[in-house]
Amino acid sequence: MHKVVVKALIREFFIKTGLNETLNTFDKEYNEKTVIKKMDVILQLGLSKIVKRNNEQQKPLNSLLEILISHILNKKALLEELTIASKAERIEDIPQDTPYDPTIGVSRQNKMKKRPQSEYKPKNLDISKEEDLFIEQKDDKKDEKYSPNKGAFEVPRKSSLKQVKLFDFQEQNANDQSNQEKKDKPQLPLAQPPKLINMKKQSENKEVEQISFTKQQNNNQDNLLQNVNVEYQKCNIKQHNVQLPSSNINYDKSIGFNQGKRKPQQKTITQPVKKLLFQGTMTGLPKSWSQPFILKNEPTFFGLHQLEGGPCGVLASVQAYYLKHFLFSQSTYSKSSIKQNCLLAALSDILYKSNKERLILAIPARDSSMNQAIGIESCDQLEYQIKSLNYLYEVLLEHTSLFFGQNGVTLFFYSLILTKGVEQIMSEMDSSTNPLIGNHGHCTQEAVNLMLTGKAISNCFDGCKQIDELKIKGIEERSEIGFLTIFEHFQYLEVGKNLKEPLLPIWVICKEYHYSVIFGCNNDVIQDKPYLKNNLKEFDLVFYDGLNNSDDLIIITIRRLGAQLGKQKKKVQIEGVQFDSSDQITPLIECLLKTKYGELELDWNDSMPIL
């Protein structure tokens, strides 16, 4: 792919600078013709903000290559200036009053003594004396991260020996109203007390007030509502409207079954598993796979945390089923035991879809290498005969530490492969030589489909397709969890309705070889054209990425546009390289959602757009 991008940059530079003869010579020596859009080149290089900044200048640069080189040089110059400035500051901080003598210690030379520990302790507050109170708020995120009183206001230490008086504002207000004993009470220069503001909480409160006001206004204006044809489905995660069939799973249970038969791992099993995983491209899973399942707290209380790149396919698939149980099947969101059991229920769902008769858990038998995740050869098998989904869930209750400890993600993935069976997985693929893990430690399409549908299908279209004498298998029935990918936008593959319109409003999405999750809080968003159902033209989806944005609650508002309202973009074909004439940079998330909802525009609701 990098060769295609490089060629596009060079050819565009030749065209913009008018080097036609050089361009013809370049085309003769480089005969390969490749079609790529200018937008794709910008997204591949991450130049969206840089291009926008260049277009706003009085004399913008013409070609992407010039913009890229200019940005690199400016960044280098800025770093050099900052480095010189920091060095100058350090030189100024060095005491220059006495020359340095290496025979005498630095502390003795400057006659500096260490402050006693008592001076760092806060003084006893004396209410009888008056002193101004200066209140500051920490802005340094690093200090705030490790501070035990995160977000709290602090009183800085002052060089004066005077004592600080704490002022009671409630008492002052009472004195102002009664006008008594005013002279005996000292006053501070502050007009009002500082307020600790939680911006996210404040925005949520405003949102709730706005919704309640809207409801009250709608109740008072029933006649006007009859003429309104468009409704807005506001997303409220804890007050969703997702309909689910009743489940027999007890999320508050703590004791399960433990009647499995333990078997030592054998080479006749480990070698086929390793071949299925890597097909000779790797020797084992990278160290990033050794993480446990980690549950998040507010504001993304519904999320799983990913430490490093690699196991995103497993974590995103488990995240989708975790949303099903934690958000849509029960209503206790703060109890840690409920959150753990909902995750176990999500794992049970995936394992039960792969095999409804048996369960084989991979149990660590010995320590693994510190440079890699635990290997399948270091695990024993624990086999169970499964009677129902609820029975499988209660089996996992007895092995909670297996998934919440080190290598929890890897052990679950091994358990899924052993439960399904190597031969059965290979029979469901288009080619038995396809691996489950790609070259960079990411899950392939077969692995993701195995976790979403229970079958390791290589494709995403509906049903089967016959190409000459070759029969290619797709998704046979409507999936419970959906799947969307940016590669359909690039026309590399096709995603059918069985994945685009799942039973639940939850989708695993693939964006640039990284998997994350997007979900809605209403069943109406499942349809490809929800704006036609119940007059719905504007609705919300929640985007969650456990690796890059695990602490950000990102709610995207989607506004469906008619075909005549969409911006027309002209495609320009120049000597085998195709560019988009529009200067607008379209985020990949928007391109991905267009494969399902058609022409639309996104409102990120004050969140940083994810390109």
Side-chain angles (χ1 to χ4, degrees):
M1 185 64 184
H2 70 281
K3 292 183 179 180
V4 178
V5 175
V6 170
K7 179 187 174 184
L9 289 174
I10 295 174
R11 297 193 81 263
E12 190 210 20
F13 176 74
F14 288 158
I15 294 171
K16 295 290 185 180
T17 55
L19 301 175
N20 296 327
E21 295 182 1
T22 308
L23 178 63
N24 295 332
T25 305
F26 178 77
D27 289 338
K28 290 179 181 179
E29 295 180 357
Y30 199 96
N31 295 325
E32 183 180 354
K33 292 186 177 181
T34 307
V35 177
I36 186 172
K37 297 180 181 179
K38 184 176 181 179
M39 178 194 69
D40 297 335
V41 175
I42 294 173
L43 292 175
Q44 286 288 339
L45 297 177
L47 298 176
S48 56
K49 293 184 179 179
I50 303 171
V51 172
K52 183 178 180 181
R53 203 179 303 127
N54 175 72
N55 294 335
E56 293 175 353
Q57 296 179 0
Q58 294 180 354
K59 295 182 179 180
L61 300 176
N62 294 327
S63 64
L64 291 177
L65 185 60
E66 293 175 291
I67 296 173
L68 178 60
I69 298 299
S70 176
H71 171 69
I72 294 174
L73 294 177
N74 292 335
K75 188 175 181 180
K76 182 180 178 182
L78 180 60
L79 289 174
E80 291 177 353
E81 291 179 2
L82 293 176
T83 304
I84 294 173
S86 61
K87 288 181 178 179
E89 290 176 359
R90 289 197 295 269
I91 292 173
E92 291 176 358
D93 293 337
I94 298 175
Q96 304 293 334
D97 53 348
T98 56
Y100 172 72
D101 187 355
T103 62
I104 304 177
V106 176
S107 59
R108 300 175 75 188
Q109 177 71 19
N110 295 322
K111 299 181 180 180
M112 297 175 62
K113 296 182 180 180
K114 186 177 180 182
R115 294 178 62 184
Q117 188 69 21
S118 60
E119 292 188 18
Y120 291 93
K121 296 181 180 179
K123 306 286 185 179
N124 295 328
L125 297 177
D126 187 4
I127 306 300
S128 63
K129 296 183 180 180
E130 179 179 359
E131 179 66 26
D132 294 343
L133 183 65
F134 295 89
I135 300 179
E136 298 179 355
Q137 183 178 8
K138 282 192 173 182
D139 294 330
D140 192 356
K141 293 184 179 179
K142 294 183 179 179
D143 294 342
E144 183 180 358
K145 181 178 179 181
Y146 297 102
S147 175
N149 299 323
K150 184 175 181 181
F153 289 92
E154 298 183 358
V155 181
R157 197 181 299 110
K158 299 186 68 176
S159 59
S160 175
L161 297 177
K162 295 181 180 181
Q163 303 296 328
V164 179
K165 175 183 172 149
L166 293 181
F167 188 71
D168 190 346
F169 290 95
Q170 294 180 354
E171 184 179 354
Q172 173 63 21
N173 292 334
N175 291 336
D176 290 340
Q177 293 177 2
S178 61
N179 292 324
Q180 294 178 357
E181 299 180 358
K182 191 172 183 180
K183 295 182 180 180
D184 297 332
K185 298 293 182 179
Q187 296 182 1
L188 292 176
L190 293 179
Q192 56 184 357
K195 296 181 180 179
L196 181 60
I197 301 175
N198 187 332
M199 299 303 294
K200 290 188 177 181
K201 191 69 177 179
Q202 188 183 55
S203 62
E204 290 177 0
N205 293 337
K206 290 183 179 179
E207 194 174 284
V208 172
E209 292 175 1
Q210 184 178 2
I211 293 174
S212 61
F213 175 76
T214 304
K215 288 182 178 180
Q216 183 178 2
Q217 189 177 19
N218 291 339
N219 292 332
N220 297 333
Q221 298 179 357
D222 294 334
N223 296 330
L224 295 177
L225 278 177
Q226 295 178 357
N227 299 325
V228 177
N229 296 323
V230 178
E231 296 179 1
Y232 175 49
Q233 296 292 331
K234 189 63 181 176
C235 180
N236 192 333
I237 297 176
K238 293 185 179 181
Q239 297 179 3
H240 60 83
N241 190 23
V242 177
Q243 304 297 327
L244 279 180
S246 59
S247 174
N248 296 326
I249 293 180
N250 183 2
Y251 298 107
D252 205 14
K253 195 169 184 178
S254 59
I255 301 176
F257 298 130
N258 189 8
Q259 300 176 355
K261 297 180 180 180
R262 183 157 184 162
K263 299 180 181 179
Q265 199 63 270
Q266 301 175 358
K267 289 186 177 181
T268 56
I269 298 177
T270 59
Q271 289 180 352
V273 170
K274 295 187 72 172
K275 183 179 179 181
L276 175 65
L277 285 171
F278 312 113
Q279 294 295 341
T281 59
M282 300 172 63
T283 59
L285 291 171
K287 187 179 180 180
S288 59
W289 278 73
S290 62
Q291 77 159 77
F293 287 101
I294 304 173
L295 303 173
K296 295 286 295 181
N297 295 320
E298 293 285 355
T300 53
F301 63 96
F302 52 81
L304 302 178
H305 184 47
Q306 181 178 345
L307 299 177
E308 298 180 55
C312 55
V314 176
L315 288 171
S317 302
V318 175
Q319 172 73 70
Y321 280 99
Y322 178 62
L323 290 171
K324 167 192 170 183
H325 291 279
F326 182 61
L327 277 187
F328 301 150
S329 298
Q330 59 91 43
S331 58
T332 304
Y333 301 125
S334 58
K335 196 174 180 180
S336 59
S337 61
I338 296 292
K339 298 176 73 172
Q340 288 187 2
N341 289 353
C342 286
L343 178 65
L344 295 177
L347 302 181
S348 303
D349 253 339
I350 297 174
L351 293 169
Y352 190 70
K353 286 180 184 294
S354 64
N355 195 327
K356 294 180 173 59
E357 296 180 355
R358 70 170 185 176
L359 168 67
I360 300 179
L361 295 178
I363 307 295
R366 52 186 176 272
D367 295 336
S368 59
S369 172
M370 296 299 294
N371 296 325
Q372 289 183 329
I374 188 171
I376 187 66
E377 65 276 1
S378 301
C379 300
D380 290 344
Q381 296 183 24
L382 195 60
E383 186 172 351
Y384 294 85
Q385 297 299 319
I386 299 304
K387 302 176 182 179
S388 63
L389 174 62
N390 192 41
Y391 184 90
L392 194 154
Y393 164 71
E394 294 188 359
V395 169
L396 296 189
L397 281 176
E398 285 297 312
H399 301 280
T400 302
S401 60
L402 186 68
F403 306 108
F404 290 97
Q406 187 180 9
N407 291 297
V409 174
T410 302
L411 294 174
F412 165 72
F413 195 54
Y414 288 160
S415 301
L416 176 63
I417 296 173
L418 295 173
T419 300
K420 180 72 175 180
V422 175
E423 295 182 357
Q424 183 63 29
I425 292 176
M426 295 174 65
S427 67
E428 293 172 351
M429 296 178 175
D430 284 346
S431 174
S432 59
T433 60
N434 292 346
L436 292 181
I437 303 298
N439 294 332
H440 303 289
H442 298 87
C443 289
T444 60
Q445 190 65 57
E446 289 86 352
V448 174
N449 284 346
L450 174 61
M451 289 180 280
L452 296 184
T453 66
K455 294 185 178 181
I457 305 298
S458 302
N459 307 289
C460 298
F461 53 75
D462 295 340
C464 297
K465 291 186 177 182
Q466 191 77 27
I467 301 178
D468 295 333
E469 297 180 356
L470 181 63
K471 186 178 181 180
I472 302 178
K473 291 173 289 186
I475 308 301
E476 298 177 354
E477 59 184 5
R478 193 177 177 188
S479 176
E480 194 170 19
I481 304 295
F483 179 77
L484 300 173
T485 174
I486 191 62
F487 294 113
E488 185 178 27
H489 169 73
F490 296 141
Q491 299 181 355
Y492 293 158
L493 55 82
E494 173 190 352
V495 181
K497 283 195 172 184
N498 286 335
L499 289 176
K500 281 187 179 179
E501 298 184 7
L503 298 175
L504 297 175
I506 308 171
W507 294 266
V508 172
I509 62 175
C510 176
K511 181 178 70 73
E512 294 182 322
Y513 300 100
H514 178 63
Y515 297 95
S516 48
V517 174
I518 195 165
F519 65 96
C521 297
N522 192 295
N523 282 343
D524 292 340
V525 303
I526 294 176
Q527 304 298 322
D528 280 357
K529 296 181 179 180
Y531 63 97
L532 294 179
K533 185 176 182 180
N534 298 331
N535 296 322
L536 185 62
K537 191 174 181 180
E538 185 173 323
F539 53 95
D540 285 349
L541 293 177
V542 181
F543 171 79
Y544 180 73
D545 186 347
L547 177 63
N548 299 318
N549 307 92
S550 61
D551 293 325
D552 299 332
L553 180 58
I554 302 176
I555 299 179
I556 306 173
T557 300
I558 297 179
R559 297 183 180 91
R560 176 64 167 84
L561 303 177
Q564 71 279 5
L565 299 179
K567 184 178 181 180
Q568 299 295 328
K569 296 182 180 180
K570 297 180 180 180
K571 295 180 179 179
V572 182
Q573 185 79 17
I574 304 176
E575 298 290 338
V577 179
Q578 187 179 23
F579 290 109
D580 198 331
S581 62
S582 174
D583 292 330
Q584 183 179 2
I585 306 302
T586 305
L588 288 182
I589 293 291
E590 182 174 340
C591 297
L592 183 146
L593 291 174
K594 283 181 179 179
T595 62
K596 173 174 173 59
Y597 295 115
E599 286 297 322
L600 52 83
E601 65 177 14
L602 300 186
D603 185 354
W604 291 87
N605 296 313
D606 298 331
S607 297
M608 181 67 69
I610 299 173
L611 298 177

